[in-house]
């Protein structure tokens, strides 16, 4: 079975403190692939790829921060977003966050329209301002 490239990120405290001095990540792209219902086990998986760029001038490098995702509008499929903070392998100032979920068969799929926010979180539990992103996918797309 295919798994995400995300791993848990640990902050020093469970309560995050908002810090406007920490930059918001830049969302380069959001791509959605719906499950196809084919014969292979991964054919039922849906994928959301979020490509982020870390702004210049931060006191932190991209591989030193984690990210918090939250649904602002709409209903995410069960299992799409992790409950906690995440990180992913970084390449310079860029990273791709790959989310997976068990999608339903194409004939039963509903359109997906979500607005999410993503915030950077430092190891000492400071959380930056949100970047907003849209996840839109038609059934069978």
């Amino acid at each position: 079975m295919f798994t995400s490239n995300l791993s848990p990120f640990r902050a020093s405290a469970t309560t995050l403190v908002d810090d406007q001095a920490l930059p918001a990540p830049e969302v380069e792209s959001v791509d959605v692939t719906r499950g196809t219902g084919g014969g292979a086990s991964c054919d039922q998986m849906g994928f959301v790829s979020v490509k982020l760029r870390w702004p210049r001038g931060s006191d932190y490098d991209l591989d030193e921060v984690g990210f918090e995702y939250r649904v602002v509008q709409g209903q995410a499929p069960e299992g799409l977003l992790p409950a906690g903070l995440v990180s992913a392998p970084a390449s310079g100032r860029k990273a791709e966050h790959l989310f997976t979920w068990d999608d339903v068969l194409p004939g039963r799929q509903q359109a997906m329209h979500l607005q999410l926010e993503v915030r950077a979180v430092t190891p000492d539990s400071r959380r930056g301002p949100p970047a907003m992103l849209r996840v839109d996918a038609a059934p069978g797309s």
Side-chain angles (χ1 to χ4, degrees):
M1 183 64 76
F2 187 87
T3 58
S4 172
N5 68 341
L6 300 174
S7 41
F9 180 82
R10 300 217 184 269
S12 62
T14 56
T15 302
L16 303 176
V17 176
D18 289 342
D19 184 350
Q20 296 299 314
L22 189 66
E26 299 168 2
V27 178
E28 283 193 339
S29 66
V30 177
D31 296 303
V32 181
T33 303
R34 300 297 301 257
T36 62
S41 61
C42 63
D43 287 348
Q44 68 187 9
M45 300 295 294
F47 299 92
V48 175
S49 166
V50 178
K51 292 184 181 175
L52 299 176
R53 180 189 309 259
W54 190 238
R56 295 185 191 278
S58 172
D59 292 339
Y60 293 89
D61 289 331
L62 182 56
D63 61 354
E64 297 175 314
V65 296
F67 293 90
E68 175 187 54
Y69 282 86
R70 187 174 73 89
V71 176
V72 176
Q73 186 176 26
Q75 173 118 12
E78 185 175 338
L80 174 65
L81 295 178
L85 306 174
V86 296
S87 64
S91 177
R93 295 178 36 239
K94 294 184 179 187
E96 178 181 17
H97 293 180
L98 186 60
F99 301 95
T100 63
W101 81 98
D102 285 327
D103 206 354
V104 297
L105 294 173
R108 295 180 42 215
Q109 291 174 358
Q110 300 292 319
M112 187 182 335
H113 301 290
L114 304 173
Q115 184 172 1
L116 306 177
E117 68 177 25
V118 56
R119 295 173 181 243
V121 177
T122 63
D124 62 351
S125 302
R126 292 184 298 125
R127 176 177 54 195
M132 305 305 284
L133 60 115
R134 297 269 329 152
V135 177
D136 290 307
S141 60

